[in-house]
Amino acid sequence: MANNKAFTRGIRQQSQWQLPDNQVTPEAVFKDRRNIIKTLGLGALGASIPGQVQAGIFDLFGDKPATPFLTHPLKFAKPEQYQPTQALTPESKVTRHNNFYEFGTSKSDPFENAQDFSVNPWALRIEGLVDNPLTLDADDLANMFALEERTYRLRCVEAWSMVVPWVGFSLASLLKKVGVKSQATHVAFETLFDPEQMPGQRNRLMGGGIHYPYVEGLTIAEAMNELSLMAVGLYGKTLPPQNGAPVRLVVPWKYGFKSIKSVVRIRVMDKQPPTSWNQLAPHEYGFYANVNPGVDHPRWSQATERSIGEGGLFSAKRIKTLPFNGYGEQVADLYASLDLRRFY
Ligand SMILES: Nc1nc2c(c(=O)[nH]1)N[C@H]1C(S)=C(S)[C@@H](COP(=O)(O)O)O[C@H]1N2
Ligand SMILES: [Mo]
């Protein structure tokens, strides 16, 4: 499943039996595992076998990592303008339905494969066309900036969405701190490259065919927009690894793949940097990737989206996709002179 899935998004190839993502809910997969356990008679056996062995059986199906990653409560302000205006996606969904191909391409892979991820020590380097290059460790990330809670909608290019209470600081505040030189036009971001910790970086199929490290980029104006967030937490605590610990970008008006996780390098540049999904399939994923219901993906509509965590067990609610994911008032000006059909 995971291996096959690897090629459905990046490359035009889909096997006959593969269900689209909206027919295989995490719940369905979960229920399937229970059925397998039942069918194998393991349920009845359960009563008579020791706990450790039982845990091992569940590990086999990936239901429960042996030792969950520890998160810590954060201190933050709650600015009025970023308080939720719609129902939050439950934390259990936000942390178990993920895209983080470094840990595998199925939605449950990051939760299942990333619990041993080590973020200490961490070094985030900010360099390039800046006055004062800077390196931040895990402690700096939690303490150097005034943290705020911001609830944003996250809209994946695969046409599902969530509403997530992130905790973080604006990318603009970080860029102001290092001082951006006048000739700068773009900002490049890079995820950790550590094949020992990230199985998707060791195995091309498991990693979805992406050439690692995962890289992303923004224009300077996008990076300086107040909405661009360096998130260090969600639901009031430090990020779990599957969501991009210890620090990830969140750009809420763009498709989710722009919101790069577990960032180790931010480089201010004077040209547009390469970006991972654009490199893998340039006709399907552009540099801008603004959420746009008017421009379909070559293989599916972008007019609507599946709201994760809403609408019951087997069918999530389908809602209309909004231009710029609902953030047009804050960002549409950035694209006034850009043909968004051509610069998708
Ligand atoms: N390094 C890295 N960052 C990544 C990805 C990835 O595979 N690797 N997936 C992206 C995609 S496609 C989405 S939709 C979001 C998902 O974020 P979430 O799992 O926290 O919801 O992360 C983005 N950031
Ligand atoms: Mo995504």
Side-chain angles (χ1 to χ4, degrees):
M1 169 80 187
N3 286 350
N4 214 284
K5 184 97 182 166
F7 291 96
T8 62
R9 171 144 156 214
I11 299 165
R12 281 168 191 280
Q13 185 182 312
Q14 191 159 15
S15 72
Q16 297 295 317
W17 55 267
Q18 176 122 31
L19 293 167
D21 181 48
N22 64 359
Q23 284 177 251
V24 187
T25 64
E27 294 86 350
V29 172
F30 187 76
K31 203 170 164 231
D32 213 58
R33 285 174 185 154
R34 297 290 172 203
N35 283 336
I36 292 167
I37 288 164
K38 254 211 315 243
T39 310
L40 292 176
L42 296 173
L45 242 163
S48 61
I49 56 176
Q52 250 184 329
V53 178
Q54 281 191 49
I57 290 165
F58 280 88
D59 282 351
L60 200 65
F61 296 101
D63 280 349
K64 211 188 217 171
T67 45
F69 182 90
L70 284 181
T71 57
H72 307 284
L74 288 164
K75 284 209 175 78
F76 49 85
K78 283 173 169 272
E80 184 62 39
Q81 72 266 39
Y82 298 117
Q83 289 314 296
T85 54
Q86 55 200 122
L88 298 180
T89 303
E91 186 177 357
S92 62
K93 287 284 179 358
V94 176
T95 59
R96 280 168 182 74
H97 179 281
N98 300 102
N99 274 333
F100 199 170
Y101 279 22
E102 284 86 339
F103 293 101
T105 56
S106 286
K107 294 291 175 281
S108 54
D109 282 346
F111 172 75
E112 287 165 8
N113 297 331
Q115 298 309 307
D116 293 334
F117 187 58
S118 168
V119 299
N120 221 338
W122 194 264
L124 166 60
R125 178 92 183 140
I126 302 101
E127 60 187 21
L129 297 172
V130 299
D131 299 325
N132 308 296
L134 182 66
T135 303
L136 303 176
D137 64 20
D139 213 51
D140 298 329
L141 289 168
N143 299 309
M144 188 176 278
F145 298 87
L147 300 181
E148 359 184 282
E149 183 169 64
R150 295 186 180 191
T151 295
Y152 283 160
R153 297 166 30 75
L154 176 87
R155 184 8 173 118
C156 176
V157 76
E158 296 162 337
W160 54 263
S161 65
M162 296 191 182
V163 181
V164 184
W166 302 106
V167 178
F169 51 89
S170 69
L171 174 59
S173 63
L174 175 57
L175 292 175
K176 276 173 201 149
K177 190 171 191 80
V178 294
V180 171
K181 290 193 189 293
S182 60
Q183 69 269 39
T185 61
H186 290 81
V187 184
F189 302 81
E190 192 178 307
T191 293
L192 178 70
F193 183 72
D194 187 351
E196 256 179 54
Q197 290 210 77
M198 295 172 149
Q201 294 179 337
R202 299 196 295 268
N203 179 320
R204 198 173 150 75
L205 220 53
M206 188 175 177
I210 288 176
H211 181 75
Y212 292 104
Y214 192 104
V215 288
E216 258 307 333
L218 297 172
T219 67
I220 276 286
E222 291 171 337
M224 287 303 212
N225 186 277
E226 193 50 35
L227 284 179
S228 294
L229 186 73
M230 298 301 292
V232 297
L234 59 81
Y235 268 101
K237 293 159 290 186
T238 50
L239 288 175
Q242 61 271 27
N243 295 95
V247 62
R248 58 95 56 90
L249 179 67
V250 182
V251 196
W253 72 94
K254 293 179 178 284
Y255 290 122
F257 65 84
K258 300 294 291 183
S259 292
I260 183 174
K261 295 177 172 180
S262 303
V263 178
V264 293
R265 191 199 302 266
I266 297 177
R267 189 170 183 85
V268 179
M269 301 173 61
D270 59 4
K271 56 176 184 291
Q272 182 177 303
T275 58
S276 286
W277 277 100
N278 178 247
Q279 282 181 313
L280 189 65
H283 51 287
E284 301 193 350
Y285 309 102
F287 175 81
Y288 286 92
N290 294 314
V291 174
N292 191 345
V295 176
D296 286 339
H297 185 280
R299 289 182 283 139
W300 58 82
S301 165
Q302 295 291 23
T304 63
E305 64 204 47
R306 193 167 59 97
S307 175
I308 303 286
E310 271 191 90
L313 215 56
F314 293 101
S315 64
K317 196 168 134 193
R318 260 207 118 78
I319 57 175
K320 271 195 171 160
T321 291
L322 299 171
F324 301 108
N325 200 21
Y327 299 94
E329 217 170 284
Q330 292 97 315
V331 299
D333 281 357
L334 296 173
Y335 312 102
S337 61
L338 208 65
D339 176 359
L340 293 175
R341 188 160 283 280
R342 193 166 154 233
F343 295 95
Y344 53 91

